[in-house]
Amino acid sequence: MKELLLALPAGQETRGRAFGLTPAHMAYRVGPGPKLLGIRLPPDLRGGLMLLDCAGFDGAGDPVGCCRQILGECRRRAYRGIVCDFEGPPLGCLPRLVEILDRNCAAQGWTLYVPESCAPQAPHARVLIPSALTRGTLERRLKEAAGRYGPQRTALAVEWVREDFLLPASGRGEPITPDKLAGQMERLEPAVFFDRGLCAHYYTYMAGPLAHFVLFDTPRSIREKLSAANRLGIAAALLPAPEAEPHLGEIFPHLS
């Protein structure tokens, strides 16, 4: 895999570089205007990538000035790419913002990552494919994406899932905390299985008349997701630091 990224909360220390991971700094947002909003980072921080979200942005305005701010911050911090962590369909001026960033990142030799909803506006970018599934297989999902964009433009966005579904499961389940998951497993002592297609663990339980399905990740399942991407020649993967950081030695045992 050409690039392994670690989505890192603003200013957090990481052991990720020892495992070949490049930090993507979760410190930036597209705000009203639009304009670039940021969390204060250490003044001497340099390198890695900018991770940019757009939570709460309504899509109104001309994105040209915001793009100048984004690109200027990347030059100032010596970032070598941008991760557009945009959820949902691109609103208003966001498609144009992505188009401008794609053109400029390509000219600078930087890597741009975009969600699949923005792929039409970013022909040079890597397209982020979420790892969370409730049906089908991750390998098939990645194979379809690689067929559409090419493996060198496909990236796996690893989600560390802990979700509770009512059966039959569809869409996304209710997120549960690590403590709730551990407490539930201790109380129920369920039979836990590993789904090789989803690359995730699961168990079922009854709550009154309702059947539930709990899907969750562990370092083993994250390794399996990365292995599936590697087998297909997928270019990159993005891991979430808050969940992955304590387990990097288990996820990458050959580097421990």
Side-chain angles (χ1 to χ4, degrees):
M1 199 171 287
K2 286 188 173 180
E3 187 161 56
L4 287 168
L5 304 178
L6 189 66
L8 192 67
Q12 180 177 307
E13 295 296 322
T14 179
R15 299 179 297 131
R17 288 187 178 86
F19 293 88
L21 282 86
T22 300
H25 300 285
M26 302 167 62
Y28 301 95
R29 175 169 295 173
V30 178
K35 63 182 177 182
L36 179 65
L37 305 178
I39 297 170
R40 188 177 298 276
L41 288 170
D44 59 346
L45 186 145
R46 298 288 185 278
L49 283 79
M50 170 189 285
L51 193 146
L52 181 68
D53 75 41
C54 63
F57 178 55
D58 62 5
D62 183 333
V64 171
C66 184
C67 288
R68 288 197 191 101
Q69 292 177 314
I70 292 167
L71 297 166
E73 176 70 358
C74 287
R75 285 189 288 270
R76 188 172 74 86
R77 294 280 186 181
Y79 294 152
R80 55 182 180 82
I82 302 166
V83 179
C84 292
D85 185 25
F86 298 165
E87 294 186 4
L91 297 173
C93 72
L94 281 178
R96 187 168 173 231
L97 179 143
V98 169
E99 184 180 355
I100 295 169
L101 293 182
D102 181 64
R103 187 170 62 248
N104 280 272
C105 284
Q108 294 282 343
W110 300 341
T111 307
L112 179 67
Y113 291 82
V114 299
E116 197 165 16
S117 60
C118 293
Q121 289 80 39
H124 304 98
R126 286 182 177 153
V127 180
L128 292 162
I129 306 299
S131 67
L133 300 170
T134 55
R135 61 187 65 188
T137 72
L138 179 60
E139 189 157 334
R140 186 181 306 137
R141 176 75 177 93
L142 290 172
K143 191 177 292 185
E144 289 171 354
R148 187 174 299 120
Y149 308 112
Q152 296 309 307
R153 286 194 57 222
T154 304
L156 175 64
V158 174
E159 299 181 66
W160 199 296
V161 169
R162 292 179 299 271
E163 294 184 354
D164 190 322
F165 300 81
L166 281 174
L167 288 174
S170 63
R172 299 303 296 261
E174 178 186 349
I176 56 179
T177 65
D179 288 345
K180 183 174 179 179
L181 176 65
Q184 189 179 80
M185 292 181 69
E186 183 177 355
R187 186 177 72 256
L188 299 175
E189 298 183 348
V192 177
F193 303 94
F194 185 76
D195 189 304
R196 293 190 178 278
L198 300 179
C199 299
H201 304 272
Y202 72 94
Y203 60 88
T204 60
Y205 72 96
M206 298 297 295
L210 301 176
H212 288 251
F213 168 81
V214 176
L215 192 70
F216 65 99
D217 279 312
T218 65
R220 176 198 168 183
S221 67
I222 300 301
R223 282 200 313 272
E224 292 292 337
K225 294 178 202 291
L226 293 172
S227 293
N230 258 324
R231 286 194 297 273
L232 294 170
I234 301 303
L238 173 68
L239 284 81
E243 294 89 356
E245 181 79 32
H247 305 289
L248 291 176
E250 298 166 83
I251 297 170
F252 303 104
H254 58 292
L255 298 176
S256 299

